[in-house]
């Protein structure tokens, strides 16, 4: 191979690298179709963030009084509410089943049970170890009551959507008035944060298809919908924020423990690295 | 190395007794203490040790997870949440295992690119390379089946898409598909057998790893110069030299691992996998895990399903053939001024194929404007994937054999020691 050929090949290689990088970069900037989510700036964000217990309590209240009438939370038991990091955790009760607030909450619900004497289904007061009762007997009953749409279980919802907590926070506040030119079917509701493609329902300008999508859930929250016991103003924003925080917690109840363990693990590894690196320098001295 | 005489001397009575019956301590001593390693190995060579660590972590966490996991379509999803919520330390074990798979692939890709750059597949290390390829293939199978176990939406639809690829094979395809799925769709039978195989394959991998290490210890390690070890001057004993260097690299690797496990545990996964599998609701965008994306892009780059499937498997198969495709007499690309550029381009191609695999084929990479009907004109992801796929195969099948014959390599040092000394004079 002549030096000229080597040079040209090098140049070709270099150009190809540059071209590939050049092509790749703008592609990474491509975006989605729903409106950019609002940033709630939750207390639990970041490596050192923790849940605000009062906010979790408000969030539970919003869930119980509004969301729970349609949405199940099958993975949650009442005892979870009193576990470390939970909305009703009290350090006097390391066993959440002893926590009187949790006991009180559980006792306000009734759950079905098979009577061992007769085999009939009977209702009894819930205990701390029971799961949150579902609002409907089965999925079919849930669909029948909701225009054919199944309200999803909310237990892990904050993990099941991109930027879940901010998504819930935004979605609940995203019921903007329908833009003129958008055909929304009966039983459907327009929301700027709901992912979807409205092109087929849009009669206006091709380039100005509105952001967002339509979903079966009507706006569930509004100013004054839930009264907060701690005097926090019952605005739509505060309710959305509280329930988003609560669902973020139910989605991963050990999130704070996870991050705190992580800080300790990284510190340990850092010290371990320092010692091992010094040993490495010592061992290899004069060898390379 | 094979001609390296054993220097193990049993000291205590028990050691002497055992050495006469099963010289296992002698084997360990000769392999991991006295074993001579080239003294110029850089940090790219630490990934072999890191990979053994990854395999160990996956097996230990996996065995514990299997104690709590329920392989049933109605319970699998909830059993994973139960592990994360109610099993003591379960959240840690589960996140280590799920992120561990990503870490394992991250390390194996570096390990493979290192072998490619420094020519570690060339004679006499072809069998070593082939064993490595087998391990990689088994890793793909294991990871794919493991990803199905949580029975989320991506688990389910990933299994549907990948098993159905087999159905593209003419005549026998549909029968094999039914046999593989254990029925006429991805269902309970599929989940159960995937769980069984996901538990089995890591031990098969461990077995092949033993062969891989054995083959390595027969030929000895390659090194950044690609020049074979010539004298004792060129090597240092494995312990303490390589052990302490591997140790440093392992701790740095564990720090990266910890950042993902403790602070970004779901960043490498897909949110849809936190939605329980629903055979009646196909997700808008089915994507595999990041480490499979380049092959997924190759599959979708080709409009014909059967040829796409063949191309995808060929992309893996061609790696096996590498020792016989490279015609260059020089091992290390350090001394191959032309080839190294094509190598850089190859790494970028793999990364970009990965990016393409995560996009919809009809999405635009960039658009130059709109045609009269209002459709964007420009480069679509599928077109970029086609260009990249062409380069991927050209790299192995055309560039590798051709450049090897034509290229004028730079002068190669006479020995490892000379290269090390040369490096010193250059820096001082």
């Amino acid at each position: 191979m002549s030096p000229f050929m080597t040079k040209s090949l090098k140049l070709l290689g270099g150009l190809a690298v540059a071209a590939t990088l050049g092509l790749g970069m703008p592609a990474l900037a491509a975006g989605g179709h729903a409106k950019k989510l609002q940033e709630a700036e939750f207390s639990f964000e970041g490596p050192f963030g923790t849940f605000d217990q009062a906010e979790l309590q408000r969030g539970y209240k919003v869930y119980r009084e509004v969301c729970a009438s349609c949405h199940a939370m099958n993975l949650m038991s009442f005892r979870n509410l009193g576990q470390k990091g939970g909305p009703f955790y009290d350090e006097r009760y390391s066993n959440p089943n002893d926590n009187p607030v949790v006991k009180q909450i559980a006792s306000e619900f009734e759950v079905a049970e098979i009577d061992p004497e007769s085999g009939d289904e009977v209702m009894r007061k819930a205990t701390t170890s029971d799961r949150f009762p579902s609002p409907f007997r089965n999925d079919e009953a849930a669909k029948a009551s909701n225009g054919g749409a199944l309200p999803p279980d909310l237990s892990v919802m904050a993990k099941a959507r991109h930027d879940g907590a901010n998504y819930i926070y935004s979605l609940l506040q995203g019921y903007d008035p329908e833009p003129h030119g958008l055909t929304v079917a009966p039983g459907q509701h327009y929301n700027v944060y709901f992912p979807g493609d409205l092109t087929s329902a849009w009669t206006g300008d091709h380039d100005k298809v509105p952001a967002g999508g339509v979903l079966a859930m009507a706006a569930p929250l509004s100013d004054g919908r839930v009264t907060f016991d701690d005097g926090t103003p019952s605005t739509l924003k505060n309710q959305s924020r509280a329930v988003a925080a609560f669902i973020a917690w139910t989605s991963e109840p050990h999130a704070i423990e996870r991050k705190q363990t992580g800080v300790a693990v990284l510190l340990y590894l850092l010290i371990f690295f320092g010692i091992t690196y010094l040993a490495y320098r010592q061992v290899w001295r004069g060898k390379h | 190395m094979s001609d390296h005489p054993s220097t193990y001397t049993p000291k205590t009575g028990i050691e002497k007794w055992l050495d006469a019956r099963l010289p296992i301590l002698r084997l360990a001593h000769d392999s991991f203490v006295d074993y001579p390693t080239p003294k110029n190995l850089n940090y790219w060579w630490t990934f072999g040790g890191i990979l053994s660590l990854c395999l160990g972590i996956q097996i230990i966490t996996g065995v514990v997870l299997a104690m709590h996991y329920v392989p049933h379509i109605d319970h699998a999803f909830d059993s994973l949440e139960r592990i994360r919520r109610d099993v003591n330390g379960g959240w840690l074990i589960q996140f280590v295992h799920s992120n561990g798979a990503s870490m394992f692939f991250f390390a194996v890709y570096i390990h493979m690119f290192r072998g490619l750059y420094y020519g570690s597949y060339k004679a006499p290390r072809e069998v070593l390379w082939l064993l490595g390829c087998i391990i990689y293939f088994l890793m793909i199978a294991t990871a794919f089946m493991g990803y199905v176990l949580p029975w989320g939406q991506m688990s389910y639809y990933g299994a549907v898409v990948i098993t159905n690829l087999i159905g593209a094979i003419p005549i026998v395809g549909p029968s094999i598909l039914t046999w593989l799925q254990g029925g006429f769709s991805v269902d309970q039978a599929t989940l159960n057998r995937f769980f069984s195989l996901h538990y089995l394959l890591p031990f098969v991998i461990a077995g092949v790893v033993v062969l891989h290490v054995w083959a390595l210890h027969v030929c000895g390690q390659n090194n950044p110069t690609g020049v074979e070890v010539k004298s004792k001057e060129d090597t240092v004993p494995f312990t303490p030299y390589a052990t302490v260097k591997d140790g440093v690299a392992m701790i740095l690797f564990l720090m990266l691992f910890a950042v993902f496990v403790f602070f970004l545990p779901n960043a490498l996964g897909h949110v849809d996998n936190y939605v329980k599998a629903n055979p009646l609701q196909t997700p808008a965008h089915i994507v595999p895990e990041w480490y499979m994306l380049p092959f997924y892009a190759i599959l979708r780059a080709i409009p014909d399903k059967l040829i796409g499937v063949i191309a995808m498997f060929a992309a893996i198969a061609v790696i096996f053939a590498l020792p016989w495709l490279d015609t260059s007499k020089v091992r290390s690309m350090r001394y191959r001024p032309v080839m190294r550029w094509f190598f850089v381009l190859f790494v970028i191609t793999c990364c970009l194929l990965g990016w393409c695999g995560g996009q919809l084929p009809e999405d635009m990479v960039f658009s130059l404007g709109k045609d009269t009907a209002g459709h964007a004109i420009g480069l679509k992801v599928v077109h970029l994937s086609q260009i990249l796929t062409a380069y991927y195969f050209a790299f192995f099948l055309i560039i590798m054999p051709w450049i090897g014959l034509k290229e004028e390599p730079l002068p190669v040092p006479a020995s490892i020691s000379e290269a090390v000394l040369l490096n010193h004079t250059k820096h001082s």
Side-chain angles (χ1 to χ4, degrees):
Chain A
M1 197 176 277
S2 69
F4 172 73
M5 250 188 108
T6 313
K7 254 191 183 159
S8 352
L9 265 174
K10 261 191 187 179
L11 187 71
L12 189 77
L15 278 178
V17 170
T20 333
L21 285 175
L23 280 182
M25 286 307 134
L28 296 173
H33 200 70
K35 195 174 164 188
K36 193 176 172 296
L37 298 180
Q38 296 184 42
E39 299 279 338
E41 293 180 6
F42 290 105
S43 62
F44 52 85
E45 289 172 12
F48 301 103
T50 53
F51 287 108
D52 171 353
Q53 200 180 26
E55 189 164 67
L56 291 184
Q57 292 181 4
R58 292 195 296 274
Y60 173 65
K61 192 163 190 202
V62 176
Y63 167 73
R64 181 176 168 179
E65 292 184 6
V66 184
C67 317
S69 51
C70 297
H71 291 276
M73 251 196 189
N74 284 332
L75 294 172
M76 292 297 292
S77 300
F78 292 107
R79 67 179 162 81
N80 293 129
L81 295 170
Q83 76 184 34
K84 204 169 180 183
F88 300 101
Y89 173 66
D90 185 333
E91 56 189 12
R92 284 173 297 174
Y93 306 101
S94 61
N95 179 352
N97 297 299
D98 300 332
N99 185 316
V101 182
V102 176
K103 281 178 162 170
Q104 172 61 32
I105 290 172
S107 70
E108 291 163 11
F109 290 85
E110 287 211 318
V111 291
E113 178 180 76
I114 301 295
D115 179 37
E117 302 293 325
S118 65
D120 293 336
E121 198 175 272
V122 291
M123 298 305 280
R124 64 159 170 86
K125 271 189 180 179
T127 65
T128 51
S129 61
D130 281 309
R131 303 276 176 122
F132 289 7
S134 295
F136 301 102
R137 290 170 66 88
N138 51 50
D139 286 356
E140 281 60 39
K143 282 182 200 164
S145 305
N146 288 283
L150 177 69
D153 188 284
L154 294 181
S155 309
V156 295
M157 192 48 83
K159 291 194 292 193
R161 298 290 183 272
H162 286 288
D163 196 8
N166 280 323
Y167 172 76
I168 296 164
Y169 173 70
S170 304
L171 185 83
L172 292 169
Q173 300 177 74
Y175 288 90
D176 286 5
E178 289 165 21
H180 288 291
L182 186 71
T183 324
V184 177
Q188 296 287 308
H189 307 274
Y190 172 65
N191 191 305
V192 286
Y193 298 109
F194 194 72
D197 188 352
L198 295 173
T199 313
S200 58
W202 178 244
T203 54
D205 188 348
H206 247 311
D207 289 331
K208 288 179 183 154
V209 179
V214 291
L215 73 167
M217 176 171 76
L221 302 175
S222 55
D223 289 340
R225 179 77 177 75
V226 176
T227 309
F228 291 130
D229 307 325
D230 59 5
T232 303
S234 178
T235 58
L236 170 62
K237 198 181 180 73
N238 284 340
Q239 293 165 35
S240 308
R241 201 188 150 85
V243 80
F246 177 69
I247 295 172
W249 172 75
T250 64
S251 296
E252 202 195 339
H254 293 295
I256 305 306
E257 187 188 351
R258 162 169 66 73
K259 291 191 283 188
Q260 286 170 348
T261 313
V263 172
V265 167
L266 279 178
L267 276 175
Y268 169 81
L269 286 174
L270 197 67
I271 295 166
F272 193 17
F273 170 74
I275 294 169
T276 314
Y277 185 70
L278 289 177
Y280 163 73
R281 292 291 299 259
Q282 178 73 26
V283 165
W284 278 83
R285 181 168 295 160
K287 281 284 173 187
H288 61 167
Chain B
M1 263 147 270
S2 52
D3 53 355
H4 183 78
S6 177
T7 57
Y8 175 71
T9 37
K11 289 183 192 79
T12 62
I14 296 173
E15 282 176 79
K16 281 179 191 143
W17 181 86
L18 186 62
D19 196 50
R21 286 155 181 83
L22 178 72
I24 192 165
L25 292 174
R26 180 179 296 277
L27 180 71
H29 182 270
D30 294 345
S31 306
F32 303 110
V33 180
D34 194 44
Y35 175 67
T37 57
K39 65 178 178 181
N40 61 337
L41 296 186
N42 55 30
Y43 275 102
W44 299 113
W45 258 267
T46 58
F47 282 87
I50 286 170
L51 284 161
S52 334
L53 178 71
C54 286
L55 181 62
I57 290 173
Q58 290 306 90
I59 289 181
I60 292 167
T61 52
V63 167
V64 178
L65 286 173
M67 295 175 189
H68 302 281
Y69 172 74
V70 183
H72 189 286
I73 54 170
D74 293 335
H75 305 293
F77 184 88
D78 286 354
S79 79
L80 254 98
E81 276 302 329
R82 205 187 78 82
I83 290 169
R84 295 187 192 104
R85 285 154 194 272
D86 292 340
V87 173
N88 289 331
W91 60 268
L92 178 61
I93 295 164
Q94 201 277 322
F95 279 145
V96 168
H97 195 76
S98 59
N99 284 284
S102 283
M103 292 296 132
F104 206 157
F105 275 94
F106 171 69
V108 89
Y109 284 133
I110 292 184
H111 193 64
M112 290 165 79
F113 280 129
R114 190 270 289 153
L116 182 58
Y117 185 81
Y118 291 110
S120 301
Y121 48 85
K122 290 197 193 191
R125 297 187 182 80
E126 302 96 322
V127 172
L128 176 61
W129 178 262
L130 287 179
L131 289 166
C133 292
I134 293 170
I135 295 170
Y136 174 60
F137 188 71
L138 289 171
M139 277 174 66
I140 293 177
T142 310
F144 161 64
M145 286 187 276
Y147 192 59
V148 175
L149 303 185
W151 209 245
Q153 279 284 73
M154 278 300 154
S155 299
Y156 178 82
Y157 284 95
V160 170
V161 169
I162 301 300
T163 53
N164 273 298
L165 294 180
I166 311 295
I169 300 169
I171 308 165
V172 290
S175 314
I176 298 176
L177 175 63
T178 308
W179 175 74
L180 199 70
Q181 291 180 339
F184 298 103
S185 62
V186 172
D187 209 325
Q188 177 59 44
T190 324
L191 178 63
N192 230 342
R193 63 188 51 198
F194 277 19
F195 178 52
S196 167
L197 293 172
H198 183 70
Y199 202 109
L200 168 72
L201 287 184
F203 297 97
V204 179
I205 292 178
V208 186
V209 166
V210 170
L211 297 180
H212 190 65
V213 174
W214 184 10
L216 173 75
H217 285 219
V218 170
C219 314
Q221 279 157 303
N222 184 29
N223 67 85
T225 64
V227 179
E228 286 294 326
V229 168
K230 301 230 161 93
S231 68
K232 211 166 177 294
E233 287 299 292
D234 291 344
T235 64
V236 288
F238 191 91
T239 299
Y241 296 96
T243 28
V244 75
K245 194 165 184 167
D246 280 359
V248 168
M250 274 181 201
I251 297 167
L252 283 174
F253 182 79
L254 284 177
M255 286 168 94
L256 175 76
F257 200 150
V259 166
F260 278 101
V261 167
F262 295 105
F263 300 102
L264 300 160
N266 298 317
L268 298 168
H270 197 290
V271 287
D272 276 1
N273 228 26
Y274 280 112
V275 180
K276 203 184 242 178
N278 181 355
L280 299 177
Q281 191 182 50
T282 314
H285 192 177
I286 302 170
V287 282
E289 291 280 82
W290 68 267
Y291 41 80
M292 304 289 171
L293 287 173
F295 299 110
Y296 195 52
I298 291 174
L299 170 76
R300 294 193 303 180
I302 294 160
D304 182 79
K305 189 178 172 190
L306 179 61
I307 300 175
V309 173
I310 292 170
M312 188 179 76
F313 282 105
I316 299 170
V318 76
I319 306 172
F320 282 75
L322 186 57
W324 297 278
L325 291 170
D326 187 354
T327 53
S328 174
K329 293 202 162 52
V330 175
R331 269 207 197 101
S332 171
M333 285 197 205
R334 249 188 205 181
Y335 310 105
R336 300 187 61 188
V338 181
M339 196 58 205
R340 61 196 302 181
W341 282 100
F342 287 101
F343 169 80
V344 171
L345 189 57
F346 179 72
V347 176
I348 294 171
T349 298
C350 291
C351 296
L352 282 180
L353 273 172
W355 177 82
C356 287
Q359 310 301 309
L360 290 169
E362 292 304 306
D363 282 352
M364 303 303 279
V365 179
F366 61 82
S367 75
L368 300 165
K370 295 200 170 172
D371 64 13
T372 45
H375 301 296
I377 318 170
L379 186 72
K380 282 181 182 170
V381 167
V382 63
H383 298 140
L384 180 61
S385 304
Q386 285 162 354
I387 297 167
L388 296 168
T389 303
Y391 181 77
Y392 182 96
F393 284 106
F395 177 80
F396 288 106
L397 301 175
I398 301 168
I399 296 168
M400 206 84 184
W402 183 61
I403 299 290
L405 293 174
K406 293 285 175 185
E407 183 182 41
E408 279 170 30
L410 300 174
V412 175
S415 73
I416 293 171
S417 300
E418 191 196 283
V420 172
L421 282 176
L422 214 71
N423 202 29
H424 271 289
T425 41
K426 221 172 20 183
H427 284 292
S428 54

